[in-house]
């Protein structure tokens, strides 16, 4: 059964480490699964630290041989992905 995760409403420099630790822990504790989907649609307030959270989750999923799929990209977050040249790393598995 796939794992469904949600990004919180706020991810910025002040809370990005805690958000990454929480979501990475959920991924790690779930064990083997068909994959995981991270819903980004609830994200309202963020800075470029949100990208580090997404990259960190990508690494965790890769290390566990999980496919991590993204859904609900906020347009401004997509703009940051493009500005930082992270399209290949983050948009490969987007619903």
């Amino acid at each position: 059964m796939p794992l469904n995760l949600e990004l919180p409403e706020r991810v910025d420099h002040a809370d990005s480490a805690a958000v990454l630790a929480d979501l990475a822990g959920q991924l790690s504790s779930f064990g083997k699964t068909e994959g995981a989907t991270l819903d980004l649609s609830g994200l309202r307030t963020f800075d470029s630290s949100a990208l580090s959270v997404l990259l960190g989750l990508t690494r965790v999923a890769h290390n566990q041989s999980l496919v991590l799929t993204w859904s609900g990209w906020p347009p401004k977050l997509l703009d940051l992905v493009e500005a930082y040249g992270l399209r290949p790393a983050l948009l490969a598995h987007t619903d």
Side-chain angles (χ1 to χ4, degrees), residues 5-42:
L5 302 171
E6 294 179 3
L7 211 55
E9 186 175 312
R10 180 184 188 92
V11 178
D12 59 20
H13 179 72
D15 56 14
S16 62
V19 171
L20 176 57
D22 177 51
L23 292 172
Q26 289 181 57
L27 277 177
S28 296
S29 68
F30 199 72
K32 291 294 178 187
T33 180
E34 296 174 16
T37 299
L38 180 63
D39 182 1
L40 309 171
S41 64

Side-chain angles (χ1 to χ4, degrees), residues 27-92:
L27 277 177
S28 296
S29 68
F30 199 72
K32 291 294 178 187
T33 180
E34 296 174 16
T37 299
L38 180 63
D39 182 1
L40 309 171
S41 64
L43 187 62
R44 301 283 182 259
T45 305
F46 58 90
D47 62 18
S48 62
S49 299
L51 298 178
S52 67
V53 170
L54 300 182
L55 290 169
L57 292 172
T58 299
R59 283 189 294 275
V60 170
H62 176 76
N63 289 340
Q64 291 186 228
S65 300
L66 294 174
V67 173
L68 181 59
T69 303
W70 316 99
S71 67
W73 283 92
K76 290 182 181 180
L77 186 58
L78 283 173
D79 290 345
L80 277 180
V81 168
E82 293 293 336
Y84 283 89
L86 295 173
R87 177 178 271 283
L90 293 176
L91 296 180

